[in-house]
Short mmCIF file of all heavy atoms in Angstrom, two decimals:
data_model
loop_
_atom_site.label_atom_id
_atom_site.label_comp_id
_atom_site.label_asym_id
_atom_site.label_seq_id
_atom_site.Cartn_x
_atom_site.Cartn_y
_atom_site.Cartn_z
N LYS J 286 -13.69 7.16 -4.87
CA LYS J 286 -13.30 5.91 -4.19
C LYS J 286 -13.87 5.86 -2.78
O LYS J 286 -14.28 4.81 -2.30
CB LYS J 286 -11.77 5.80 -4.10
CG LYS J 286 -11.15 5.18 -5.32
CD LYS J 286 -9.87 4.41 -4.97
CE LYS J 286 -9.31 3.76 -6.20
NZ LYS J 286 -8.95 2.37 -6.02
N LYS J 289 -17.43 5.04 -3.03
CA LYS J 289 -17.63 3.66 -3.49
C LYS J 289 -17.36 2.66 -2.36
O LYS J 289 -18.10 1.70 -2.18
CB LYS J 289 -16.67 3.40 -4.65
CG LYS J 289 -16.83 2.06 -5.36
CD LYS J 289 -15.84 2.01 -6.53
CE LYS J 289 -15.77 0.66 -7.20
NZ LYS J 289 -14.62 0.59 -8.13
N PHE J 290 -16.27 2.87 -1.62
CA PHE J 290 -15.86 1.95 -0.55
C PHE J 290 -15.62 2.73 0.76
O PHE J 290 -14.49 2.78 1.25
CB PHE J 290 -14.54 1.26 -0.92
CG PHE J 290 -14.57 0.40 -2.14
CD1 PHE J 290 -13.62 0.59 -3.15
CD2 PHE J 290 -15.49 -0.63 -2.28
CE1 PHE J 290 -13.60 -0.23 -4.26
CE2 PHE J 290 -15.47 -1.45 -3.41
CZ PHE J 290 -14.53 -1.24 -4.41
N ALA J 292 -16.18 2.16 3.90
CA ALA J 292 -15.65 1.41 5.05
C ALA J 292 -14.20 1.00 4.83
O ALA J 292 -13.46 0.75 5.77
CB ALA J 292 -16.51 0.17 5.31
N ILE J 293 -13.79 0.93 3.57
CA ILE J 293 -12.40 0.57 3.26
C ILE J 293 -11.53 1.82 3.23
O ILE J 293 -10.40 1.82 3.72
CB ILE J 293 -12.32 -0.17 1.90
CG1 ILE J 293 -13.08 -1.50 1.96
CG2 ILE J 293 -10.86 -0.38 1.48
CD1 ILE J 293 -13.25 -2.18 0.61
N MET J 294 -12.05 2.90 2.66
CA MET J 294 -11.22 4.10 2.42
C MET J 294 -11.12 5.04 3.63
O MET J 294 -10.05 5.61 3.86
CB MET J 294 -11.76 4.88 1.22
CG MET J 294 -11.58 4.16 -0.10
SD MET J 294 -9.82 3.82 -0.45
CE MET J 294 -9.97 2.48 -1.63
N PRO J 296 -10.90 4.47 6.85
CA PRO J 296 -9.79 4.12 7.75
C PRO J 296 -8.42 4.46 7.16
O PRO J 296 -7.49 4.78 7.91
CB PRO J 296 -9.94 2.60 7.92
CG PRO J 296 -11.37 2.30 7.61
CD PRO J 296 -11.77 3.30 6.56
N VAL J 297 -8.30 4.40 5.85
CA VAL J 297 -7.01 4.73 5.23
C VAL J 297 -6.70 6.21 5.44
O VAL J 297 -5.56 6.60 5.75
CB VAL J 297 -7.01 4.36 3.73
CG1 VAL J 297 -5.70 4.77 3.08
CG2 VAL J 297 -7.23 2.85 3.56
N ASP J 299 -7.80 7.94 7.94
CA ASP J 299 -7.46 8.04 9.37
C ASP J 299 -6.01 7.64 9.60
O ASP J 299 -5.30 8.26 10.41
CB ASP J 299 -8.36 7.11 10.21
CG ASP J 299 -9.80 7.59 10.25
OD1 ASP J 299 -10.03 8.79 9.97
OD2 ASP J 299 -10.69 6.78 10.54
N SER J 300 -5.57 6.62 8.90
CA SER J 300 -4.19 6.16 9.05
C SER J 300 -3.22 7.22 8.52
O SER J 300 -2.18 7.48 9.14
CB SER J 300 -4.00 4.83 8.30
OG SER J 300 -2.71 4.33 8.51
N ALA J 303 -2.88 9.88 11.05
CA ALA J 303 -2.00 9.46 12.14
C ALA J 303 -0.53 9.51 11.71
O ALA J 303 0.36 9.80 12.52
CB ALA J 303 -2.37 8.05 12.60
N ILE J 304 -0.28 9.23 10.42
CA ILE J 304 1.10 9.32 9.90
C ILE J 304 1.60 10.76 10.00
O ILE J 304 2.72 11.02 10.45
CB ILE J 304 1.17 8.82 8.44
CG1 ILE J 304 0.96 7.31 8.37
CG2 ILE J 304 2.50 9.21 7.79
CD1 ILE J 304 0.76 6.77 6.97
N GLU J 307 2.28 11.53 13.61
CA GLU J 307 3.47 10.83 14.08
C GLU J 307 4.73 11.52 13.54
O GLU J 307 5.70 11.74 14.26
CB GLU J 307 3.43 9.37 13.61
CG GLU J 307 4.64 8.53 14.00
CD GLU J 307 4.69 8.20 15.49
OE1 GLU J 307 3.62 8.16 16.12
OE2 GLU J 307 5.80 7.98 16.00
N PRO J 325 14.91 5.81 10.65
CA PRO J 325 14.09 4.64 10.28
C PRO J 325 12.59 4.91 10.39
O PRO J 325 11.82 4.47 9.55
CB PRO J 325 14.55 3.58 11.28
CG PRO J 325 15.95 3.95 11.62
CD PRO J 325 15.97 5.46 11.62
N VAL J 326 12.17 5.65 11.42
CA VAL J 326 10.73 5.93 11.55
C VAL J 326 10.27 6.82 10.40
O VAL J 326 9.23 6.55 9.78
CB VAL J 326 10.42 6.60 12.91
CG1 VAL J 326 8.99 7.11 12.94
CG2 VAL J 326 10.65 5.63 14.05
N GLU J 329 9.99 4.69 7.41
CA GLU J 329 8.84 3.79 7.50
C GLU J 329 7.54 4.54 7.20
O GLU J 329 6.66 4.03 6.50
CB GLU J 329 8.81 3.19 8.92
CG GLU J 329 8.03 1.88 9.00
CD GLU J 329 8.17 1.21 10.36
OE1 GLU J 329 8.99 1.65 11.19
OE2 GLU J 329 7.44 0.23 10.58
N LEU J 330 7.43 5.77 7.70
CA LEU J 330 6.23 6.56 7.44
C LEU J 330 6.11 6.89 5.95
O LEU J 330 5.01 6.90 5.40
CB LEU J 330 6.25 7.85 8.29
CG LEU J 330 6.23 7.65 9.82
CD1 LEU J 330 6.29 9.00 10.54
CD2 LEU J 330 5.00 6.86 10.26
N ASP J 332 7.20 4.95 3.50
CA ASP J 332 6.78 3.71 2.83
C ASP J 332 5.29 3.45 3.03
O ASP J 332 4.57 3.11 2.09
CB ASP J 332 7.57 2.51 3.39
CG ASP J 332 9.05 2.58 3.02
OD1 ASP J 332 9.40 3.31 2.07
OD2 ASP J 332 9.86 1.90 3.68
N ILE J 333 4.84 3.61 4.29
CA ILE J 333 3.43 3.33 4.59
C ILE J 333 2.52 4.28 3.81
O ILE J 333 1.56 3.88 3.17
CB ILE J 333 3.15 3.46 6.11
CG1 ILE J 333 3.95 2.40 6.89
CG2 ILE J 333 1.66 3.32 6.40
CD1 ILE J 333 3.90 2.58 8.40
N ASN J 334 2.87 5.57 3.85
CA ASN J 334 2.01 6.55 3.18
C ASN J 334 2.00 6.34 1.67
O ASN J 334 0.96 6.52 1.02
CB ASN J 334 2.46 7.98 3.52
CG ASN J 334 1.33 8.98 3.37
OD1 ASN J 334 0.23 8.63 2.91
ND2 ASN J 334 1.58 10.21 3.73
N GLN J 335 3.13 5.94 1.11
CA GLN J 335 3.16 5.68 -0.33
C GLN J 335 2.17 4.55 -0.69
O GLN J 335 1.46 4.64 -1.70
CB GLN J 335 4.59 5.33 -0.78
CG GLN J 335 4.73 4.95 -2.26
CD GLN J 335 4.34 6.07 -3.20
OE1 GLN J 335 4.23 7.24 -2.83
NE2 GLN J 335 4.10 5.72 -4.46
N HIS J 336 2.10 3.52 0.16
CA HIS J 336 1.11 2.46 -0.07
C HIS J 336 -0.30 3.02 0.03
O HIS J 336 -1.17 2.72 -0.79
CB HIS J 336 1.30 1.33 0.95
CG HIS J 336 2.44 0.41 0.62
ND1 HIS J 336 2.46 -0.36 -0.53
CD2 HIS J 336 3.58 0.13 1.28
CE1 HIS J 336 3.57 -1.07 -0.55
NE2 HIS J 336 4.29 -0.79 0.52
N HIS J 337 -0.53 3.84 1.06
CA HIS J 337 -1.88 4.41 1.25
C HIS J 337 -2.27 5.27 0.04
O HIS J 337 -3.42 5.26 -0.39
CB HIS J 337 -1.92 5.27 2.52
CG HIS J 337 -1.94 4.47 3.79
ND1 HIS J 337 -2.12 3.11 3.83
CD2 HIS J 337 -1.80 4.86 5.09
CE1 HIS J 337 -2.12 2.70 5.09
NE2 HIS J 337 -1.91 3.75 5.87
N ASN J 339 -1.32 4.93 -2.96
CA ASN J 339 -1.70 4.01 -4.02
C ASN J 339 -3.11 3.49 -3.79
O ASN J 339 -3.90 3.36 -4.74
CB ASN J 339 -0.71 2.84 -4.09
CG ASN J 339 0.47 3.13 -4.99
OD1 ASN J 339 0.30 3.36 -6.19
ND2 ASN J 339 1.66 3.15 -4.43
N VAL J 340 -3.42 3.17 -2.54
CA VAL J 340 -4.75 2.64 -2.21
C VAL J 340 -5.84 3.65 -2.57
O VAL J 340 -6.88 3.27 -3.12
CB VAL J 340 -4.83 2.25 -0.72
CG1 VAL J 340 -6.27 2.08 -0.26
CG2 VAL J 340 -4.04 0.96 -0.47
N ASP J 349 5.83 4.37 -8.98
CA ASP J 349 6.27 3.04 -8.53
C ASP J 349 7.73 2.83 -8.92
O ASP J 349 8.54 2.32 -8.15
CB ASP J 349 5.44 1.93 -9.19
CG ASP J 349 3.98 1.95 -8.74
OD1 ASP J 349 3.70 2.55 -7.68
OD2 ASP J 349 3.14 1.36 -9.44
N ARG J 353 10.98 2.19 -6.63
CA ARG J 353 11.76 0.98 -6.82
C ARG J 353 13.23 1.31 -7.04
O ARG J 353 14.12 0.67 -6.48
CB ARG J 353 11.20 0.21 -8.01
CG ARG J 353 11.26 -1.27 -7.83
CD ARG J 353 10.25 -1.97 -8.71
NE ARG J 353 10.30 -1.64 -10.10
CZ ARG J 353 9.28 -1.13 -10.79
NH1 ARG J 353 8.14 -0.88 -10.21
NH2 ARG J 353 9.42 -0.87 -12.08
N LYS F 286 4.34 -3.98 15.10
CA LYS F 286 4.01 -2.75 14.36
C LYS F 286 2.78 -2.08 14.93
O LYS F 286 2.69 -0.85 14.99
CB LYS F 286 3.74 -3.09 12.88
CG LYS F 286 5.01 -3.09 12.04
CD LYS F 286 4.73 -2.67 10.59
CE LYS F 286 5.98 -2.69 9.78
NZ LYS F 286 6.24 -1.47 9.03
N LYS F 289 3.75 -0.38 18.01
CA LYS F 289 4.63 0.78 17.73
C LYS F 289 3.82 1.96 17.21
O LYS F 289 4.05 3.10 17.60
CB LYS F 289 5.67 0.34 16.70
CG LYS F 289 6.76 1.35 16.38
CD LYS F 289 7.75 0.72 15.41
CE LYS F 289 8.76 1.70 14.86
NZ LYS F 289 9.52 1.08 13.74
N PHE F 290 2.90 1.67 16.26
CA PHE F 290 2.11 2.74 15.62
C PHE F 290 0.60 2.40 15.70
O PHE F 290 -0.03 2.18 14.64
CB PHE F 290 2.48 2.85 14.14
CG PHE F 290 3.90 3.24 13.84
CD1 PHE F 290 4.66 2.47 12.96
CD2 PHE F 290 4.46 4.39 14.37
CE1 PHE F 290 5.97 2.84 12.64
CE2 PHE F 290 5.77 4.76 14.05
CZ PHE F 290 6.52 3.98 13.19
N ALA F 292 -2.12 4.10 16.14
CA ALA F 292 -3.05 5.00 15.43
C ALA F 292 -2.92 4.86 13.91
O ALA F 292 -3.85 5.16 13.17
CB ALA F 292 -2.80 6.45 15.84
N ILE F 293 -1.77 4.39 13.47
CA ILE F 293 -1.56 4.19 12.02
C ILE F 293 -2.02 2.80 11.61
O ILE F 293 -2.65 2.63 10.56
CB ILE F 293 -0.06 4.39 11.66
CG1 ILE F 293 0.37 5.83 11.94
CG2 ILE F 293 0.21 4.01 10.21
CD1 ILE F 293 1.88 6.06 11.84
N MET F 294 -1.73 1.80 12.43
CA MET F 294 -1.97 0.41 12.03
C MET F 294 -3.41 -0.08 12.28
O MET F 294 -3.94 -0.83 11.47
CB MET F 294 -0.99 -0.52 12.75
CG MET F 294 0.45 -0.36 12.30
SD MET F 294 0.62 -0.72 10.52
CE MET F 294 2.16 0.15 10.17
N PRO F 296 -6.31 1.41 12.00
CA PRO F 296 -7.21 1.70 10.86
C PRO F 296 -6.95 0.80 9.65
O PRO F 296 -7.87 0.48 8.91
CB PRO F 296 -6.90 3.16 10.52
CG PRO F 296 -6.33 3.75 11.76
CD PRO F 296 -5.59 2.62 12.45
N VAL F 297 -5.70 0.39 9.48
CA VAL F 297 -5.39 -0.50 8.35
C VAL F 297 -6.07 -1.85 8.55
O VAL F 297 -6.63 -2.42 7.61
CB VAL F 297 -3.86 -0.65 8.17
CG1 VAL F 297 -3.54 -1.63 7.06
CG2 VAL F 297 -3.22 0.71 7.89
N ASP F 299 -8.79 -2.26 10.24
CA ASP F 299 -10.22 -1.98 10.00
C ASP F 299 -10.52 -1.99 8.50
O ASP F 299 -11.56 -2.49 8.06
CB ASP F 299 -10.62 -0.61 10.57
CG ASP F 299 -10.60 -0.61 12.10
OD1 ASP F 299 -10.65 -1.69 12.70
OD2 ASP F 299 -10.53 0.49 12.68
N SER F 300 -9.60 -1.42 7.73
CA SER F 300 -9.80 -1.38 6.28
C SER F 300 -9.76 -2.79 5.69
O SER F 300 -10.55 -3.13 4.81
CB SER F 300 -8.74 -0.47 5.64
OG SER F 300 -8.94 -0.36 4.26
N ALA F 303 -12.98 -4.46 6.32
CA ALA F 303 -14.01 -3.98 5.38
C ALA F 303 -13.81 -4.60 4.00
O ALA F 303 -14.79 -4.86 3.28
CB ALA F 303 -13.97 -2.46 5.30
N ILE F 304 -12.56 -4.85 3.62
CA ILE F 304 -12.28 -5.51 2.34
C ILE F 304 -12.87 -6.92 2.34
O ILE F 304 -13.53 -7.33 1.38
CB ILE F 304 -10.76 -5.56 2.06
CG1 ILE F 304 -10.22 -4.16 1.76
CG2 ILE F 304 -10.44 -6.51 0.90
CD1 ILE F 304 -8.70 -4.07 1.72
N GLU F 307 -16.60 -6.63 2.07
CA GLU F 307 -17.00 -6.21 0.72
C GLU F 307 -16.86 -7.38 -0.24
O GLU F 307 -17.74 -7.63 -1.08
CB GLU F 307 -16.12 -5.04 0.27
CG GLU F 307 -16.40 -4.51 -1.13
CD GLU F 307 -17.71 -3.74 -1.24
OE1 GLU F 307 -18.16 -3.19 -0.21
OE2 GLU F 307 -18.29 -3.73 -2.35
N PRO F 325 -13.83 -6.22 -11.84
CA PRO F 325 -13.03 -5.04 -11.45
C PRO F 325 -13.01 -4.80 -9.94
O PRO F 325 -11.97 -4.45 -9.39
CB PRO F 325 -13.72 -3.89 -12.20
CG PRO F 325 -14.34 -4.54 -13.39
CD PRO F 325 -14.79 -5.89 -12.91
N VAL F 326 -14.13 -5.00 -9.27
CA VAL F 326 -14.15 -4.78 -7.81
C VAL F 326 -13.25 -5.81 -7.12
O VAL F 326 -12.45 -5.47 -6.26
CB VAL F 326 -15.59 -4.85 -7.24
CG1 VAL F 326 -15.56 -4.86 -5.73
CG2 VAL F 326 -16.40 -3.66 -7.73
N GLU F 329 -9.76 -4.80 -7.65
CA GLU F 329 -9.42 -3.62 -6.86
C GLU F 329 -9.17 -4.01 -5.40
O GLU F 329 -8.24 -3.50 -4.75
CB GLU F 329 -10.57 -2.60 -6.97
CG GLU F 329 -10.16 -1.18 -6.66
CD GLU F 329 -11.28 -0.18 -6.96
OE1 GLU F 329 -12.31 -0.55 -7.56
OE2 GLU F 329 -11.11 0.99 -6.57
N LEU F 330 -10.00 -4.91 -4.88
CA LEU F 330 -9.83 -5.35 -3.49
C LEU F 330 -8.50 -6.09 -3.33
O LEU F 330 -7.83 -5.96 -2.30
CB LEU F 330 -11.01 -6.23 -3.06
CG LEU F 330 -12.39 -5.55 -3.04
CD1 LEU F 330 -13.48 -6.55 -2.62
CD2 LEU F 330 -12.41 -4.33 -2.13
N ASP F 332 -5.77 -5.48 -5.07
CA ASP F 332 -4.71 -4.46 -5.10
C ASP F 332 -4.62 -3.72 -3.76
O ASP F 332 -3.53 -3.50 -3.23
CB ASP F 332 -4.98 -3.44 -6.20
CG ASP F 332 -4.86 -4.06 -7.59
OD1 ASP F 332 -4.22 -5.12 -7.72
OD2 ASP F 332 -5.39 -3.47 -8.56
N ILE F 333 -5.78 -3.32 -3.25
CA ILE F 333 -5.79 -2.55 -1.99
C ILE F 333 -5.21 -3.40 -0.86
O ILE F 333 -4.35 -2.95 -0.11
CB ILE F 333 -7.22 -2.09 -1.64
CG1 ILE F 333 -7.75 -1.11 -2.70
CG2 ILE F 333 -7.26 -1.43 -0.26
CD1 ILE F 333 -9.23 -0.77 -2.54
N ASN F 334 -5.67 -4.63 -0.78
CA ASN F 334 -5.22 -5.47 0.33
C ASN F 334 -3.72 -5.77 0.23
O ASN F 334 -3.03 -5.83 1.25
CB ASN F 334 -6.02 -6.77 0.39
CG ASN F 334 -6.02 -7.38 1.79
OD1 ASN F 334 -5.31 -6.91 2.68
ND2 ASN F 334 -6.79 -8.43 1.98
N GLN F 335 -3.24 -5.92 -0.98
CA GLN F 335 -1.81 -6.17 -1.14
C GLN F 335 -1.00 -4.98 -0.60
O GLN F 335 0.03 -5.16 0.06
CB GLN F 335 -1.47 -6.43 -2.62
CG GLN F 335 0.01 -6.61 -2.92
CD GLN F 335 0.63 -7.82 -2.23
OE1 GLN F 335 -0.06 -8.72 -1.75
NE2 GLN F 335 1.94 -7.83 -2.14
N HIS F 336 -1.48 -3.77 -0.85
CA HIS F 336 -0.82 -2.59 -0.26
C HIS F 336 -0.89 -2.65 1.27
O HIS F 336 0.09 -2.39 1.95
CB HIS F 336 -1.47 -1.30 -0.76
CG HIS F 336 -1.04 -0.91 -2.15
ND1 HIS F 336 0.27 -0.62 -2.46
CD2 HIS F 336 -1.74 -0.79 -3.30
CE1 HIS F 336 0.35 -0.33 -3.76
NE2 HIS F 336 -0.85 -0.42 -4.28
N HIS F 337 -2.08 -2.97 1.79
CA HIS F 337 -2.24 -3.03 3.26
C HIS F 337 -1.30 -4.07 3.86
O HIS F 337 -0.72 -3.85 4.93
CB HIS F 337 -3.68 -3.38 3.61
CG HIS F 337 -4.65 -2.24 3.42
ND1 HIS F 337 -4.25 -0.95 3.14
CD2 HIS F 337 -6.01 -2.21 3.47
CE1 HIS F 337 -5.32 -0.18 3.05
NE2 HIS F 337 -6.40 -0.91 3.23
N ASN F 339 1.51 -5.02 2.75
CA ASN F 339 2.85 -4.42 2.77
C ASN F 339 2.98 -3.46 3.94
O ASN F 339 4.01 -3.43 4.62
CB ASN F 339 3.11 -3.69 1.46
CG ASN F 339 3.71 -4.60 0.41
OD1 ASN F 339 4.79 -5.16 0.61
ND2 ASN F 339 3.03 -4.77 -0.70
N VAL F 340 1.92 -2.68 4.17
CA VAL F 340 1.96 -1.71 5.27
C VAL F 340 2.15 -2.40 6.62
O VAL F 340 2.92 -1.94 7.46
CB VAL F 340 0.67 -0.84 5.28
CG1 VAL F 340 0.49 -0.11 6.60
CG2 VAL F 340 0.71 0.16 4.12
N ASP F 349 6.39 -8.60 -4.40
CA ASP F 349 6.30 -7.39 -5.23
C ASP F 349 6.53 -7.77 -6.69
O ASP F 349 5.85 -7.28 -7.60
CB ASP F 349 7.38 -6.36 -4.82
CG ASP F 349 7.14 -5.80 -3.42
OD1 ASP F 349 6.00 -5.90 -2.93
OD2 ASP F 349 8.10 -5.27 -2.85
N ARG F 353 4.11 -7.43 -9.89
CA ARG F 353 4.55 -6.62 -11.03
C ARG F 353 4.48 -7.42 -12.32
O ARG F 353 4.02 -6.93 -13.35
CB ARG F 353 5.97 -6.13 -10.78
CG ARG F 353 6.27 -4.78 -11.33
CD ARG F 353 7.43 -4.12 -10.64
NE ARG F 353 8.64 -4.91 -10.64
CZ ARG F 353 9.28 -5.30 -9.54
NH1 ARG F 353 8.81 -4.99 -8.35
NH2 ARG F 353 10.39 -6.00 -9.62
#
Side-chain angles (χ1 to χ4, degrees):
Chain J
K286 274 211 178 228
K289 186 177 172 192
F290 298 128
I293 297 170
M294 292 300 159
V297 177
D299 291 340
S300 184
I304 289 169
E307 179 72 26
V326 170
E329 202 172 352
L330 297 178
D332 293 341
I333 296 172
N334 204 354
Q335 177 62 15
H336 282 298
H337 285 350
N339 272 298
V340 164
D349 294 341
R353 216 157 53 238
Chain F
K286 272 211 181 231
K289 186 176 171 191
F290 297 128
I293 296 170
M294 292 300 159
V297 177
D299 291 341
S300 183
I304 289 169
E307 179 72 26
V326 171
E329 202 173 351
L330 297 179
D332 293 340
I333 295 171
N334 204 353
Q335 176 63 16
H336 282 298
H337 285 350
N339 272 300
V340 164
D349 293 341
R353 214 158 55 239

